[in-house]
Amino acid sequence: MRDDLFEKHCWAEIDLDAVRSNFSLIQNTVGGPVAAVVKADAYGHGAAVVASVLEQAGAAAFAVSCLAEAKHLRRHGIRKPILILGYTDPACTRELAAGCITQAVFSEEYAAALSAAAAGIGAEVHCHFKVDTGMGRIGFCARTDFSAAVAAMERCAALPGLRFTGIFQHFAVADSVTEENVAYTEEQHSLFLKVVERLKQDGISLNTVHCANSAAQMRHPEWRCDLTRAGIILYGLDPSTEVHFDGLRPPMTLKAMVTYVKELAPGQSVSYGRTFTAATPRTVATVCVGYADGYPRMLSGTQGGGVMSVHGRPAPVLGRVCMDQTLVDVTGIPGVRMGDEVTVFGPDNAALGADTADTIAEKTGTINYEIVCGIARRVPRIYLQSGAPVCIWNDLEET
């Protein structure tokens, strides 16, 4: 981690006050313990710093996708429980045990492999059962055969080297308000509670029961069980275009620098493929951001292309987005010169007619999750508090 000056090229500013505000809103809505989902480098916001802020703010636990992400948190001082939501190679059992990292167990075959590895080194691994109630990815398939799924989990609970301390599931369409999907979500919830109740009746101890993702915990705080898992809402973004939560504050703003300004005469073209040719005189600025930084090439300058902001004015993308550079139209924006700051996307752009993570997602036919997660690791993260930088994280300078 660096706290000195950074090269102003392309960088992401992360407002830690917004992160804290979002967490407080979630806690107040849920009224119970909240686990922070910080997989994918905290959805592109930087897991080491964000997790530290959230641990101080009262996060009860953290959820990640893999062992490498869990170890990253431990290396950077996170002491609260960490749950790996996906697969970990049983050969890494020693690292799970040494890091006090909880592993999701989603099948009897996987449990047996994990148990054998743990028993072989005389270790104990903490585990949570993952139940498939309708997501259809991984998990004991309670929707397919309830009795078989319960019986399999009970056999797993008896395996040596594994200590089951919780159980969870994941909603497939909690972020949808259609009648069919609302009914499906309620079915998932009912089925999960039925599994939990059956296991408890059969003497299986389950200390931590959790089922609610971002959308579910905000729409149904009464489903909080022992814990909820907050993901995209921690980062100030709605779970879908159908579901909006007032009060969320997006912490991320992607910025870059103007490196060159030129006058384009009628008939002159710009960028690869000559997809834009000026019909009238234009003033064009080169901005040092491109698809290698996570700025989608699909925002190349056509109808519905990207719009950055310069000097508080919208600046549409011209021509194709390149790997490291993009051209924008600054005609009519006075005084643009080399070294000027450009807001590529961010919450403040909304009032200017320029892009936010949500508008980029809409233009590129994806979801806001992908936009923030896609910001490259080569892009430094600059952490702000009360509007001032307090920390700089630059992966290219990490040892």
Side-chain angles (χ1 to χ4, degrees), residues 323-345:
M323 183 180 290
D324 314 296
Q325 301 178 84
T326 300
L327 300 157
V328 297
D329 189 347
V330 294
T331 307
I333 304 177
V336 178
R337 57 180 58 88
M338 182 183 70
D340 283 353
E341 191 172 282
V342 178
T343 298
V344 181
F345 73 76

Side-chain angles (χ1 to χ4, degrees), residues 30 69 76 83 132 148 152 178 184 253 262 278 347-348 350 390:
V30 171
E69 292 181 341
H76 290 283
L83 169 65
D132 181 9
T178 67
Y184 192 86
T253 298
K262 67 170 176 287
D348 292 343
V390 293

Side-chain angles (χ1 to χ4, degrees), residues 60-62 74 80-84 96 100-105 114 124-131 140 153 156-159 161-168 192 196 199-200 203-210 225-227:
F62 294 91
R74 288 288 188 242
K80 291 290 179 68
I82 300 173
L83 169 65
I84 296 177
L96 289 172
C100 297
I101 297 163
T102 303
Q103 174 61 46
V105 168
L114 207 60
E124 181 179 69
V125 176
H126 287 208
C127 303
H128 283 195
F129 288 116
K130 170 63 190 298
V131 185
F140 294 88
M153 283 186 275
C156 291
L159 291 172
L162 305 184
R163 181 182 175 190
F164 285 89
T165 59
I167 186 170
F168 71 107
F192 178 68
V196 171
L199 288 172
K200 288 182 177 179
I204 305 299
S205 177
L206 299 169
N207 298 328
T208 305
V209 176
H210 51 112
C225 298
D226 299 310
L227 190 72

Side-chain angles (χ1 to χ4, degrees), residues 251-305:
M252 181 187 286
T253 298
L254 184 64
K255 292 187 174 182
M257 303 299 292
V258 171
T259 58
Y260 187 67
V261 180
K262 67 170 176 287
E263 301 299 322
L264 201 64
Q268 290 184 312
S269 3
V270 296
S271 199
Y272 290 113
R274 299 181 63 231
T275 59
F276 174 81
T277 300
T280 59
R282 313 304 296 170
T283 303
V284 179
T286 303
V287 181
C288 48
V289 64
Y291 56 79
D293 301 298
Y295 188 68
R297 190 172 181 270
M298 289 179 67
L299 293 175
S300 296
T302 56
Q303 187 175 4

Side-chain angles (χ1 to χ4, degrees), residues 75-98:
R75 282 196 302 270
H76 290 283
I78 298 303
R79 292 290 171 260
K80 291 290 179 68
I82 300 173
L83 169 65
I84 296 177
L85 298 169
Y87 172 81
T88 298
D89 190 328
C92 299
T93 298
R94 187 183 300 275
E95 292 179 273
L96 289 172

